[in-house]
């Protein structure tokens, strides 16, 4: 069975034959407005490649301003050959971090945050590609003679400069004027049908035409295919909403063929399928059965329970110092004495009652005993995070019902910090966050927890203030705001290393912050972020970490998910409830975007099931990185499966063992606290797999009860079963002796 699947092919954004390619530029560090001039003499400047960071080309550790000057001739033959002669695209790849670009002294585009424009993050940053469009009749463009593109770059830390392939200049082909949006809206899932909205907008001054063919397929069988003619005037948008039958593991393709050149724009997407059964009316308590905290510090635990409202709560044997609000189900207070406690919580409604025993361990090393579950602002808002946006997602965490499944942290990532410290050296929030203490209170009163972000360097990765030499003072501020979680991101601290850092150098800044956190008077989860350097999983716990990033940054595509997720066997083998948890980065489901403009994740439904299953098997932190205020039915269903989440929240907190039973078919096996196992069978190939799985192949020789966790259904007992796993999909099972 073969699928044509999940590829999102836009008409190639790299350059076509009609083009002027850039490979090198004249380069100089520093900053001078004169360097924008066409006639400035740059003969004594260095030369640099435009497809690699300057760190790799002799400017190691350089941060700050630098200029690129690219000389080129654009032949008028290019214009003669062009099908449409209106727009020229200047493609500069990606630039780390910000740029202002001039053509012969005239500005033609800018992206990112320059020191003089702190709000510049709104236009993007280091991850954005620069496609600057100019009109072909722009007076400052000279045909058949020398032109200069001067790029003023500001790097606020880490790698710097231009870093992608295929930079250059080309005329736009007709198809480039048509803006296809296939990820603006999620699939809408109805009882029997599924709808998907795709739009096409004509940005050319004249009419453009084409045909749109929509095809729905399962395996190699076409279920429906039809063609529409599309004619679009300037500025006009054609919106196509497909009402499709709800079929599991089918794909829909939208192929637009532009008539002048027969070039195509296409998007092939898997039609999402719903696996998690509907929530029951009777109460079901979903908190982890193991909870930890330091003694003598404020404690907060919201009873996470599904079921029809109203629900009333009660608790038996609550340790001295704690009290439960019977209406909100929030437990607060503080426990004085270290030790092992246990108490029983119950939830009751008109339909029934549920009870759960919770073990509460109190000790200075018991800050976090199961992986944190919650939300972080980075993968959605990037540096454009604000108080309003955090509140909107917090409200949605509650109103959507996600809070009832145990999601609780609301963590602000980079972009909250002020430009300068106050006169007394205190860190303050910028004007997007009017009052951090109030925000903390707001979250706590709703049973949510409050997380924040900083760096041991002078600046964060986004160029905001870091905690360097202010660690103690910053922790005092966080504690006063009611912070429960700190992500501490290495970023510019790397500049302080004279030679490549060994383990002690990597540990040093984290130890400093740990000392401050110990004295914070709060139970603050300490999340190390140094991208896995020095095999942090071997010592993260020794520097006080509860959670440590094991990788670089994740993005919402299969390649990123696969590369990061399936390489976690060794890092996660260190995980446990008393040691801490490796963090393969935050979740990339729902509306993501790293800035002001969000799109629905480009992962297919099967890939998202794989994502949540694998992270749960790994005992990884589950941090949503999406705008929760735009929760669609599929995403909610994906994030509310309590049997799946229970695998992540299992009290042992172990990592899984990997078996590669054939190429691209992997089984990951995790030991659970109840003596049973969770196993994920992952199909990493480009075809669906139909196969009989024999558990003997992975050394499991007995007869078992086998439960499909996503579907919450038992399979026939035994040790052998037949299964079909979609492309990039998973079967997640609990195996009980
Ligand atoms: C780094 C981290 C990300 C995020 C950004 C913020 O890239 O790895 O998770 O925190 O910095 O600038």
């Amino acid at each position: 069975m073969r699928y044509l699947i999940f590829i999102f092919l836009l008409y190639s954004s790299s350059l076509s034959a009609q083009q002027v390619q850039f490979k090198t530029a004249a380069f100089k560090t520093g900053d001078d407005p004169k360097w924008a001039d066409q006639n400035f003499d740059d003969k004594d400047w260095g030369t640099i490649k435009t497809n690699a960071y300057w760190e790799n080309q002799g400017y190691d550790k350089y941060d700050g301003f630098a200029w690129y000057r690219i000389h080129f001739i654009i032949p008028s033959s290019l214009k003669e050959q062009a099908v449409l002669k209106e727009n020229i695209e200047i493609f500069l790849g990606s630039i780390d971090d910000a740029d202002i670009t001039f053509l012969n002294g005239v500005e033609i585009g800018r992206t990112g945050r320059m020191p003089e424009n702190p709000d510049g993050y709104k236009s993007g940053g280091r991850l954005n590609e620069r496609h600057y469009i100019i009109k072909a009749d722009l007076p400052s463009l000279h045909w058949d003679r020398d032109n200069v593109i001067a790029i003023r770059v500001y790097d606020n830390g880490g790698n710097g400069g231009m870093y992608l392939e295929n930079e250059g200049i080309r005329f736009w082909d007709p198809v480039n004027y048509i803006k296809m949006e296939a990820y603006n809206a999620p699939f809408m899932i109805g009882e029997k049908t599924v709808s998907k909205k795709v739009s096409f907008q004509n940005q050319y001054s004249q009419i453009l035409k084409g045909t749109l063919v929509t095809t729905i397929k399962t395996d190699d069988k076409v279920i429906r295919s039809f063609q529409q003619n599309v004619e679009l005037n300037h500025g006009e948008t054609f919106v196509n909403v497909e009402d499709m039958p709800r079929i599991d593991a089918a794909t829909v393709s939208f192929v637009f063929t532009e008539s002048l050149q027969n070039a195509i724009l296409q998007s092939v997407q898997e039609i999402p399928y719903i696996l998690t059964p509907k929530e029951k009316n009777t109460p079901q308590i979903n908190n982890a059965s193991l909870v930890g905290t330091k003694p003598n510090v404020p404690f907060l635990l919201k009873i996470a329970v599904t079921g029809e409202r109203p629900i009333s709560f009660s608790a038996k044997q609550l340790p001295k110092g704690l009290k439960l609000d019977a209406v909100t189900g929030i437990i607060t207070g503080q426990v004085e004495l270290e030790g092992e406690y246990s108490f029983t919580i119950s939830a009751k409604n008109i339909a029934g009652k549920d009870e759960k025993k919770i073990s509460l361990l109190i000790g200075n090393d018991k800050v976090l005993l199961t992986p944190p579950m919650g939300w972080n602002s980075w993968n959605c808002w990037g540096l454009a995070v604000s108080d309003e946006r955090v509140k909107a997602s917090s409200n949605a965490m509650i109103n959507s019902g996600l809070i009832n499944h145990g999601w609780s942290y609301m963590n602000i990532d980079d972009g909250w910090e002020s430009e300068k410290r106050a006169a007394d050296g205190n860190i303050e929030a910028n004007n997007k966050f009017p009052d951090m203490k109030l925000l903390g209170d707001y979250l706590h009163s709703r049973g949510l927890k409050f997380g924040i972000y900083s760096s041991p360097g002078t600046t964060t990765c986004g160029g905001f203030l870091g905690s360097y030499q202010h660690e103690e003072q910053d922790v005092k501020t966080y504690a006063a705001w009611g912070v429960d979680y700190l992500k501490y991101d290495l970023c510019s601290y790397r500049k302080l290393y004279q030679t490549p850092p060994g383990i002690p150098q990597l540990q040093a800044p984290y130890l400093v912050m740990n000392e401050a956190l110990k004295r914070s008077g709060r139970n603050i989860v300490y999340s190390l972020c140094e991208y896995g350097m020095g095999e942090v999983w071997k010592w993260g716990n020794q520097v006080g970490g509860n959670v440590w990033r094991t990788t670089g940054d994740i993005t919402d595509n299969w390649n990123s998910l696969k590369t990061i997720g399936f390489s976690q066997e060794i890092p996660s083998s260190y995980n446990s409830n008393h040691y801490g948890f490796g963090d393969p980065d935050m979740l990339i489901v729902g509306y993501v975007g790293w800035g002001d403009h969000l799109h629905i994740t480009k992962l297919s439904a099967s890939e998202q099931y794989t994502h949540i299953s694998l992270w749960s098997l790994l005992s990884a932190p589950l941090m949503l990185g999406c705008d929760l205020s735009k929760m669609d039915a599929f995403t909610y269903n994906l994030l509310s499966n309590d049997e799946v989440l229970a695998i992540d929240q299992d009290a042992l907190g172990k990592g899984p063992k990997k078996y590669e039973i054939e190429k691209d078919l992997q089984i990951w096996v995790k030991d659970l606290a109840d003596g049973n196992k969770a196993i994920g069978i992952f199909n990493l190939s480009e075809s669906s797999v139909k196969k009989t799985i024999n558990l003997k192949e992975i050394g499991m020789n007995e007869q078992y009860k086998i439960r499909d966790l996503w579907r919450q259904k038992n399979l026939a007992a035994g040790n052998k079963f037949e299964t079909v796993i979609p492309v990039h999909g998973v079967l997640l099972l609990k195996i009980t002796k």
Side-chain angles (χ1 to χ4, degrees):
M1 282 180 280
R2 218 169 158 89
Y3 287 145
L4 194 213
I5 205 159
F6 316 140
I7 343 145
F8 182 51
L9 282 178
L10 269 185
Y11 178 83
S12 164
S13 75
S14 64
L15 298 170
S16 60
Q18 295 168 11
Q19 63 180 357
V20 175
Q21 285 241 11
F22 303 153
K23 295 250 184 272
T24 58
F27 181 77
K28 193 174 169 74
T29 56
D31 190 30
D32 187 334
K34 286 202 289 293
W35 297 346
D37 279 5
Q38 184 188 11
N39 300 324
F40 176 80
D41 183 0
D42 56 30
K43 282 202 192 66
D44 61 343
W45 284 25
T47 302
I48 199 162
K49 285 190 264 175
T50 56
N51 66 353
Y53 295 123
W54 64 51
E55 273 77 4
N56 307 332
Q57 304 187 66
Y59 299 89
D60 193 24
K61 290 196 191 147
Y62 180 73
D63 298 328
F65 283 106
W67 284 67
Y68 292 73
R69 286 175 52 91
I70 303 173
H71 294 260
F72 68 94
I73 292 176
I74 182 163
S76 34
S77 59
L78 218 63
K79 195 192 296 190
E80 282 143 27
Q81 289 155 21
V83 179
L84 301 180
K85 303 176 198 302
E86 199 169 291
N87 282 358
I88 292 179
E89 173 176 331
I90 299 180
F91 176 56
L92 301 175
S94 294
I95 300 179
D96 194 338
D97 291 282
D99 73 292
I100 302 179
T101 295
F102 304 85
L103 171 67
N104 299 328
V106 176
E107 183 181 329
I108 55 165
R110 58 167 74 197
T111 307
R113 182 173 182 267
M114 288 281 176
E116 73 274 9
N117 174 21
D119 275 356
Y121 62 82
K122 288 185 181 150
S123 62
R126 67 179 192 275
L127 300 173
N128 293 77
E129 291 188 2
R130 272 57 166 186
H131 297 267
Y132 294 138
I133 313 300
I134 57 169
K135 293 286 168 217
D137 57 6
L138 190 76
S140 61
L141 178 67
H142 309 317
W143 293 90
D144 300 310
R145 59 190 173 93
D146 192 39
N147 292 277
V148 176
I149 287 180
I151 310 163
R152 177 183 184 234
V153 176
Y154 180 73
D155 174 29
N156 67 39
N159 290 329
M162 300 175 70
Y163 68 87
L164 270 193
E165 299 287 342
N166 285 324
E167 288 103 338
I169 298 194
R170 67 179 172 123
F171 268 91
W172 260 13
D173 284 329
V175 78
N176 299 123
Y177 291 88
I178 297 190
K179 200 167 159 217
M180 176 180 187
E181 300 278 14
Y183 289 95
N184 262 3
F187 279 88
M188 301 302 290
I189 300 176
E191 275 298 311
K192 296 213 169 88
T193 57
V194 178
S195 308
K196 173 75 187 174
K197 184 171 148 188
V198 179
S199 68
F200 301 85
Q201 192 192 39
N202 177 9
Q203 301 179 325
Y204 185 52
S205 56
Q206 319 277 318
I207 194 166
L208 286 175
K209 296 179 191 174
T211 54
L212 174 66
V213 177
T214 306
T215 308
I216 299 160
K217 275 169 89 175
T218 60
D219 297 345
D220 275 337
K221 195 162 131 235
V222 172
I223 300 196
R224 200 166 110 198
S225 180
F226 62 96
Q227 180 171 327
Q228 286 156 285
N229 291 329
V230 180
E231 275 193 27
L232 288 170
N233 288 310
H234 167 70
E236 207 178 353
T237 305
F238 170 72
V239 179
N240 180 56
V241 183
E242 287 305 329
D243 217 1
M244 302 172 268
R246 236 180 96 169
I247 306 166
D248 280 4
T251 61
V252 55
S253 65
F254 303 93
V255 181
F256 179 87
T257 309
E258 183 284 320
S259 352
L260 287 170
Q261 277 189 317
N262 282 335
I264 63 169
L265 294 171
Q266 71 168 331
S267 175
V268 187
Q269 297 186 34
E270 188 183 36
I271 297 178
Y273 46 100
I274 293 287
L275 294 182
T276 307
K278 271 220 175 89
E279 283 165 23
K280 294 185 294 271
N281 290 339
T282 48
Q284 178 184 300
I285 298 174
N286 299 312
N287 297 83
S289 58
L290 180 66
V291 177
T293 184
K294 298 203 295 198
N296 274 319
V297 301
F299 177 81
L300 174 83
L301 180 73
K302 161 114 179 144
I303 301 178
V305 56
T306 48
E308 196 180 322
R309 266 48 187 179
I311 292 183
S312 63
F313 300 91
S314 60
K316 276 186 263 178
Q317 283 125 25
L318 264 189
K320 190 163 166 263
L322 297 186
K323 63 171 196 306
L324 165 73
D325 182 318
V327 177
T328 60
I330 301 174
I331 301 174
T332 51
Q334 58 189 63
V335 183
E336 194 189 324
L337 297 178
E338 297 200 11
E340 296 186 13
Y341 300 82
S342 78
F343 58 91
T344 304
I345 44 181
S346 44
K348 205 171 134 193
N349 71 4
I350 193 164
K353 185 176 167 178
D354 191 26
E355 260 189 12
K356 186 161 186 170
K357 195 170 150 204
I358 306 277
S359 304
L360 175 64
L361 307 191
I362 311 263
N364 281 311
D365 58 348
K366 302 282 184 285
V367 170
L368 180 84
L369 301 177
T370 57
M373 283 174 69
W375 175 89
N376 170 296
S377 56
W378 184 249
N379 289 354
C380 43
W381 302 119
L383 298 176
V385 60
S386 65
D387 180 87
E388 224 174 291
R389 286 174 164 167
V390 174
K391 282 196 186 130
S393 274
S394 311
N395 295 343
M397 186 68 112
I398 297 163
N399 299 336
S400 68
L402 278 182
I403 194 170
N404 304 332
H405 299 275
W407 302 90
S408 62
Y409 285 93
M410 295 301 301
N411 294 355
I412 305 172
D413 207 279
D414 206 355
W416 64 267
E417 312 88 337
S418 61
E419 278 306 299
K420 285 204 184 90
R421 287 180 178 271
D424 57 5
N426 278 351
I427 186 89
E428 294 179 320
N430 58 40
N431 56 15
K432 294 182 291 165
F433 289 89
D435 192 328
M436 289 297 228
K437 165 88 173 66
L438 271 188
L439 178 57
D441 292 348
Y442 182 91
L443 297 173
H444 291 148
S445 67
R446 286 157 175 78
L448 294 167
K449 293 192 177 164
F450 179 26
I452 206 147
Y453 167 98
S454 186
S455 169
T458 50
T459 53
T460 65
C461 298
F464 288 85
L465 277 182
S467 293
Y468 183 61
Q469 292 183 342
H470 290 274
E471 296 82 359
E472 191 84 32
Q473 194 173 11
D474 286 357
V475 168
K476 282 209 180 100
T477 305
Y478 304 154
W481 291 344
V483 163
D484 306 298
Y485 192 112
L486 172 68
K487 172 171 168 186
Y488 207 43
D489 194 354
L490 195 64
C491 305
S492 70
Y493 189 87
R494 276 184 290 190
K495 260 195 296 187
L496 304 174
Y497 297 131
Q498 301 303 320
T499 49
I503 309 285
Q505 289 77 29
L506 289 169
Q507 293 180 338
Y510 287 99
L511 284 167
V512 174
M513 184 46 101
N514 187 42
E515 286 308 311
L517 288 172
K518 278 189 200 160
R519 291 188 287 270
S520 65
R522 289 194 63 84
N523 194 65
I524 301 183
V525 171
Y526 189 22
S527 158
L528 320 181
C529 180
E530 46 83 279
Y531 336 111
M533 290 194 291
E535 301 178 307
V536 61
W537 43 90
K538 294 187 173 164
W539 49 264
N541 173 277
Q542 290 161 33
V543 299
N546 305 112
V547 164
W548 38 86
R549 270 277 289 282
T550 55
T551 74
D553 291 13
I554 201 165
T555 47
D556 61 318
N557 61 71
W558 171 241
N559 201 30
S560 175
L561 172 64
K562 175 176 155 181
T563 315
I564 289 179
F566 289 99
S567 61
Q568 297 301 309
E569 190 190 13
I570 293 175
S572 75
S573 68
Y574 289 79
N575 292 355
S576 82
N577 56 20
H578 59 269
Y579 184 78
F581 309 98
D583 173 11
D585 209 359
M586 297 166 292
L587 303 175
I588 32 164
V589 303
Y591 271 95
V592 294
W594 294 270
D596 265 325
H597 303 288
L598 306 187
H599 60 265
I600 191 81
T601 178
K602 292 183 181 171
L603 295 180
S604 72
S606 294
E607 289 163 354
Q608 296 180 66
Y609 286 122
T610 287
H611 190 15
I612 304 298
S613 304
L614 184 55
W615 264 235
S616 297
L617 287 164
L618 292 168
S619 299
L622 298 179
M623 285 293 163
L624 295 164
C626 54
D627 178 359
L628 298 180
S629 71
K630 283 188 173 173
M631 179 64 56
D632 61 287
F634 172 79
T635 311
Y636 182 79
N637 186 271
L638 174 79
L639 301 175
S640 58
N641 191 312
D642 302 305
E643 295 194 22
V644 174
L645 298 174
I647 301 303
D648 183 71
Q649 295 297 300
D650 182 73
L652 282 186
K654 285 208 168 182
K657 196 166 158 28
K658 175 176 105 174
Y659 299 85
E660 194 147 2
I661 56 170
E662 52 186 67
K663 190 177 172 290
D664 291 333
L665 193 66
Q666 299 186 2
I667 305 192
W668 291 64
V669 183
K670 172 177 183 169
D671 289 333
L672 301 174
D674 63 8
N676 296 311
K677 291 183 196 302
I679 74 171
I681 309 171
F682 295 93
N683 174 11
L684 281 71
S685 78
E686 302 307 315
S687 318
S688 70
V689 168
K690 186 171 179 186
K691 202 179 153 64
T692 300
I693 304 283
N694 190 339
L695 294 175
K696 284 187 178 159
E697 281 183 59
I698 54 168
M700 296 177 65
N701 298 320
E702 292 169 48
Q703 298 293 309
Y704 303 95
K705 225 175 88 186
I706 305 174
R707 185 160 173 86
D708 178 331
L709 296 179
W710 280 109
R711 294 174 182 81
Q712 301 186 357
K713 272 195 185 133
N714 294 330
L715 308 182
N719 55 15
K720 234 165 118 182
F721 51 90
E722 196 190 66
T723 184
V724 179
I725 309 178
V727 184
H728 304 171
V730 61
L731 183 68
L732 184 68
L733 305 172
K734 181 163 175 181
I735 309 284
T736 310
K737 267 191 203 164

